[in-house]
Amino acid sequence: KDISALTRLPESILHDLHYETFKTALATHPLLRRMQFKEFRNFGSLCHLAASQETLGHGQVLFRCGDLATKMYFISEGECEYYLGASEADPVCLYSPSYVSEGVLWMIWEHRGRLTTSSSCELVSLDAQKFLDTVCYGSPKLFGYRLYANLFWDTFFPDGSSEGIEGVSDLSWDVKVMEGMVATAFPNELKGIERSQNSLWSYLSPRS
């Protein structure tokens, strides 16, 4: 009944509700935090049209190695374990705020490992096609996003090929690397974008 009532709300109220619901999770990524400050309208559209909430119980599998990816995921509550490739040992433990599978935003991406919940989890998913629609049709900074996509590819796959790269995973990099990529793609824009929670950023790298 609650969900049915929400669908009957005016579009403007739904837009604001989705913004308030998803902004914190999405803005943990440096590129999306830049969008929140510099392209507020587009960031709001992203929250409204491309983001959704997913609830998983303990022991559920979100994706497996080789699955074709369609979404990027942000862990907002709970814990997950990531196993690279077909491995069943040495998982990387992921907590809020962590995100995985950014590659799906910039290329055809097959998951490089398995993500399993180790507790009840709340995640925010970002639909890759809807993200691209928002950027391509709504952003005045399309060139910057194209440059960021090229930087992502060159950093992730320095030999120019996505085939047979050992150790490539769905996990995020060190936040400093990603901030540097954003600064290169959008020069002279990041002044004034404050980190509202400095402690949050120190936890973005996955903990093992």
Side-chain angles (χ1 to χ4, degrees):
K1 291 182 178 179
D2 291 342
I3 295 175
S4 177
L6 285 175
T7 61
R8 295 195 296 269
L9 289 173
E11 190 73 12
S12 60
I13 294 179
L14 279 175
H15 182 285
D16 292 346
L17 177 62
H18 291 153
Y19 173 77
E20 293 299 330
T21 301
F22 301 128
K23 65 178 182 179
T24 300
L26 296 186
T28 57
H29 190 290
L31 180 67
L32 300 182
R33 183 163 179 79
R34 176 248 157 220
M35 179 187 277
Q36 181 185 26
F37 278 83
K38 297 297 184 178
E39 299 178 60
F40 180 78
R41 185 184 297 273
N42 284 331
F43 184 78
S45 295
L46 198 70
C47 293
H48 179 47
L49 300 174
S52 58
Q53 189 165 335
E54 304 195 22
T55 301
L56 298 177
H58 177 270
Q60 287 190 264
V61 176
L62 185 61
F63 56 75
R64 300 180 187 276
C65 184
D67 288 350
L68 184 64
T70 59
K71 299 176 180 179
M72 180 180 178
Y73 297 97
F74 300 76
I75 301 171
S76 54
E77 289 185 25
E79 302 175 12
C80 295
E81 293 181 338
Y82 179 82
Y83 297 83
L84 180 62
S87 173
E88 295 294 330
D90 301 321
V92 175
C93 296
L94 300 174
Y95 307 83
S96 173
S98 299
Y99 44 81
V100 295
S101 304
E102 182 188 352
V104 70
L105 302 183
W106 313 114
M107 64 192 78
I108 297 173
W109 184 263
E110 290 185 357
H111 290 297
R112 305 301 177 117
R114 173 169 58 88
L115 189 71
T116 304
T117 60
S118 49
S119 71
S120 297
C121 284
E122 296 286 342
L123 301 100
V124 173
S125 62
L126 183 63
D127 184 275
Q129 186 57 59
K130 292 177 181 177
F131 168 82
L132 291 176
D133 290 343
T134 300
V135 168
C136 290
Y137 299 111
S139 176
K141 298 289 187 177
L142 182 56
F143 178 80
Y145 289 100
R146 286 175 172 168
L147 179 55
Y148 180 91
N150 288 334
L151 291 168
F152 184 92
W153 178 273
D154 291 343
T155 304
F156 224 119
F157 305 116
D159 69 348
S161 170
S162 62
E163 299 299 323
I165 307 288
E166 293 242 359
V168 170
S169 77
D170 296 275
L171 302 177
S172 62
W173 301 319
D174 183 273
V175 68
K176 292 293 186 182
V177 174
M178 310 197 74
E179 287 179 333
M181 291 165 57
V182 175
T184 300
F186 300 92
N188 304 318
E189 271 201 5
L190 301 186
K191 293 179 180 178
I193 298 181
E194 301 293 338
R195 296 178 181 179
S196 59
Q197 294 180 339
N198 288 333
S199 60
L200 175 147
W201 293 78
S202 65
Y203 287 97
L204 280 175
S205 299
R207 290 180 279 177
S208 56

